[in-house]
Amino acid sequence: FNPTLFRHTPGHEEVSEKLEKMTLGQEKGSLKSSSVLLAAHSDLPNIRATFLASFGSLPSMHVDLWTSRVRHSVQPYMLSSLLWPATDGPLLPIDWMFLPLVELHNQAISPGQLYSDVDAVPEKVITEITRALRLVLVLEERRPHLMASLNVSVRFARLLCVFLTGANLFLHTGIQQCLVALLRLYTQPPNSLRLAVDMQIPGVASFNDLFLALITQYDAVSYGDHLFASFVLIPTQQCHDARLRRLLWSEHESVLQTMTLSVDMAPAPLESFLYPTELDTTLVQLYLKAIASGIVRPQRCSLLYLIAVHHINAFLFLNEDQSDTTEGPHAVRHAMLACLLSLQAEYVYRDVVTYDGPSSSSSDIFTRLSPVPLPRLNRLASVVKREGQNSPLAAAVNRTHPDIYAIINWS
């Protein structure tokens, strides 16, 4: 906590400039160079006091802290022995810098202690959480080797304590600025927030349970907040288990409806949500259900809409390695193509069939192929032919998609 150990370096201004550009699309979430690293550095004495108080609350540390103060003040007559007792482990947990966050969460989930609103949270608690996050930010920027020994999954899980307190602490300006900065540091290249969802995190039964609690809390108190939504989406990147994506897309439609993140507000590089393409057939069907029912719309949450269209298109038209004679994927693909042809939402059909890839232009969220490639038309036509010339699907396609009906060889 000695400020001299965190002196400004020539790269400090460069770091502040990077942080100043970080935003999640909310004015109050944008970071000012004068209020992130500089504020954290100048606040180190107060941060030290906060952590000493947190350490003192640990039964194993109370006596040790008192002994340390007595030794420092040169009062040996107050000690029964000048020898330190034997220890069989570390004096502090490896994630000690997150201790105030964990304490807040433990207090909040106690019966009768759940804060209903940020106004109900004592100012002292808000100050302690802000200082704890500032220290984490300083350590990540100035002493990354100290944080490297702590798995990023543990660090991410500890940050989630701020969201799981029952109050919208994440809306407090100082807390939000630190959370935005830390999220960007963890997700922007060359860093990659790849969570080890199967590892044992101290105090967490399973990452699945933690993620489910996060989604439930978002649904209850987020009011569609962009920062909260960003933390919810991090575990749904393609590098993580499909179970986490299914938790969001299958059981919490109200969460999908309240998210309003645009493509340029993706909390991690966009490619991490798009590649590798989704192979979980259940999840791909959930994507189609979400956009076909209007739960996810391009006008409201273009990021989720792009993710859904991308994976649906890849599964239906690009995954040629999955043989059409394979019962599982083939049956699912056939059902989805038939559903696509029957949709009343013409824009969904058009977007999925003509999708080419994410767009770098601000005018549209993805690029389109025009005209529609013949292989895609043939695949759609084969579905209609399989249903039969007298089927309701054939009649609907003849009426709404004559270009497809015209290439069907009924003989």
Side-chain angles (χ1 to χ4, degrees):
F1 299 105
N2 190 336
T4 60
L5 299 178
F6 300 98
R7 288 189 182 278
H8 297 184
T9 62
H12 178 81
E13 291 74 12
E14 179 183 351
V15 171
S16 294
E17 289 176 2
K18 290 180 180 179
L19 291 176
E20 189 172 6
K21 296 177 182 178
M22 296 176 184
T23 178
L24 289 174
Q26 293 171 297
E27 182 62 28
K28 63 182 177 182
S30 61
L31 301 178
K32 307 299 182 181
S33 59
S34 61
S35 63
V36 186
L37 285 177
L38 290 176
H41 186 273
S42 62
D43 202 30
L44 281 173
N46 294 324
I47 294 174
R48 175 182 180 274
T50 295
F51 274 85
L52 284 178
S54 294
F55 296 158
S57 65
L58 295 175
S60 60
M61 288 293 295
H62 183 75
V63 175
D64 290 337
L65 279 173
W66 179 82
T67 303
S68 178
R69 290 192 183 99
V70 170
R71 288 173 178 272
H72 183 71
S73 58
V74 194
Q75 297 176 337
Y77 56 87
M78 298 183 66
L79 301 174
S80 59
S81 173
L82 294 177
L83 300 177
W84 286 102
T87 59
D88 56 358
L91 295 177
L92 287 171
I94 191 172
D95 59 345
W96 61 267
M97 63 288 296
F98 294 97
L99 187 58
L101 307 184
V102 177
E103 285 184 341
L104 171 68
H105 178 252
N106 292 338
Q107 293 172 10
I109 63 177
S110 301
Q113 294 297 316
L114 196 66
Y115 299 119
S116 59
D117 190 82
V118 68
D119 294 332
V121 182
E123 187 64 31
K124 177 184 176 184
V125 173
I126 295 177
T127 301
E128 289 176 352
I129 299 307
T130 304
R131 290 173 178 172
L133 291 173
R134 283 178 172 179
L135 177 64
V136 174
L137 181 59
V138 169
L139 291 176
E140 292 284 5
E141 278 290 352
R142 295 286 173 239
R143 293 293 182 268
H145 62 281
L146 295 178
M147 303 297 290
S149 60
L150 187 61
N151 189 282
V152 69
S153 300
V154 177
R155 286 180 266 172
F156 183 77
R158 295 304 185 232
L159 290 182
L160 297 186
C161 290
V162 177
F163 299 97
L164 296 174
T165 58
N168 43 8
L169 275 175
F170 54 89
L171 294 178
H172 187 274
T173 302
I175 292 175
Q176 188 170 87
Q177 289 179 343
C178 291
L179 287 173
V180 171
L182 287 168
L183 181 62
R184 289 305 190 205
L185 288 174
Y186 291 157
T187 58
Q188 296 305 302
N191 300 321
S192 176
L193 187 46
R194 189 182 182 94
L195 303 174
V197 296
D198 293 326
M199 76 171 294
Q200 185 62 45
I201 300 175
V204 177
S206 71
F207 195 89
N208 274 26
D209 293 341
L210 178 66
F211 185 55
L212 181 59
L214 183 69
I215 296 175
T216 303
Q217 186 72 356
Y218 175 89
D219 197 16
V221 305
S222 72
Y223 304 105
D225 179 74
H226 293 164
L227 175 62
F228 203 154
S230 297
F231 272 84
V232 170
L233 287 184
I234 286 297
T236 67
Q237 296 174 89
Q238 290 301 113
C239 60
H240 299 139
D241 198 308
R243 292 175 299 173
L244 301 175
R245 295 189 287 279
R246 286 199 299 268
L247 275 177
L248 176 62
W249 287 82
S250 65
E251 303 175 16
H252 296 84
E253 294 180 349
S254 58
V255 171
L256 299 176
Q257 289 178 313
T258 57
M259 284 190 176
T260 57
L261 293 175
S262 59
V263 173
D264 60 353
M265 294 164 63
L270 183 59
E271 292 75 13
S272 66
F273 294 98
L274 304 180
Y275 302 101
T277 54
E278 189 60 63
L279 298 178
D280 188 297
T281 55
T282 300
L283 190 51
V284 177
Q285 292 177 85
L286 290 171
Y287 288 153
L288 181 58
K289 176 185 175 183
I291 64 174
S293 62
I295 293 174
V296 174
R297 296 176 179 270
Q299 300 88 349
R300 184 168 59 235
C301 188
S302 58
L303 176 58
L304 290 182
Y305 188 80
L306 171 62
I307 292 172
V309 170
H310 175 88
H311 291 295
I312 294 169
N313 175 273
F315 178 76
L316 295 181
F317 301 115
L318 303 181
N319 291 346
E320 300 294 345
D321 59 310
Q322 298 184 33
S323 173
D324 276 356
T325 61
T326 304
E327 183 63 25
H330 170 61
V332 172
R333 185 181 293 109
H334 177 87
M336 290 180 63
L337 287 169
C339 175
L340 194 63
L341 287 167
S342 305
L343 287 178
Q344 294 183 354
E346 175 63 23
Y347 74 92
V348 174
Y349 167 84
R350 183 181 65 254
D351 290 344
V352 171
V353 173
T354 64
Y355 175 83
D356 185 38
S359 173
S360 58
S361 170
S362 58
S363 59
D364 204 350
I365 59 176
F366 47 75
T367 57
R368 307 170 189 273
L369 296 174
S370 182
V372 179
L374 186 59
R376 297 187 184 184
L377 293 177
N378 287 334
R379 175 161 290 189
L380 290 165
S382 67
V383 172
V384 181
K385 183 177 181 180
R386 197 172 294 119
E387 290 292 319
Q389 188 172 6
N390 298 322
S391 65
L393 179 61
V397 170
N398 186 28
R399 184 173 59 256
T400 58
H401 305 293
D403 55 333
I404 296 176
Y405 194 87
I407 64 176
I408 301 176
N409 182 5
W410 293 109
S411 58

